[in-house]
Amino acid sequence: MKANYLILLDYSVGELIKIRLTEEEKIESESYEDFEEFIYTLEDKYNFKLSNCSWMCCEILSERSY
């Protein structure tokens, strides 16, 4: 699966963070053995703390709201 989106649930503030990865970020992510190691490099850029989040990545973003 190609990671085009990174979805984070920041449970410390009840925030959903949706990040569409740039081409540069996708290429950089491939240089990491573990995708989570790559996510740590995005903390400052997107203003989140991974230690407060659950995450998932996906190729195609699909949403539902009720």
Side-chain angles (χ1 to χ4, degrees):
M1 177 181 73
K2 203 170 210 180
N4 291 321
Y5 295 92
L6 174 62
I7 313 301
L8 301 144
L9 177 58
D10 187 336
Y11 46 81
S12 69
V13 293
E15 182 177 39
L16 178 66
I17 304 165
K18 298 181 278 186
I19 300 170
R20 182 174 186 184
L21 298 172
T22 65
E23 287 302 318
E24 293 81 19
E25 290 167 340
K26 290 181 214 177
I27 292 167
E28 183 183 346
S29 74
E30 293 172 3
S31 68
Y32 289 83
E33 218 173 283
D34 183 3
F35 191 76
E36 190 166 295
E37 290 177 24
F38 166 69
I39 297 172
Y40 278 108
T41 69
L42 302 176
E43 287 182 325
D44 291 335
K45 181 177 181 180
Y46 294 107
N47 194 30
F48 67 89
K49 283 288 187 196
L50 190 56
S51 61
N52 296 333
C53 296
S54 295
W55 65 272
M56 65 178 242
C57 59
C58 57
E59 187 172 355
I60 299 169
L61 182 62
S62 178
E63 297 180 54
R64 284 191 273 177
S65 296
Y66 296 97

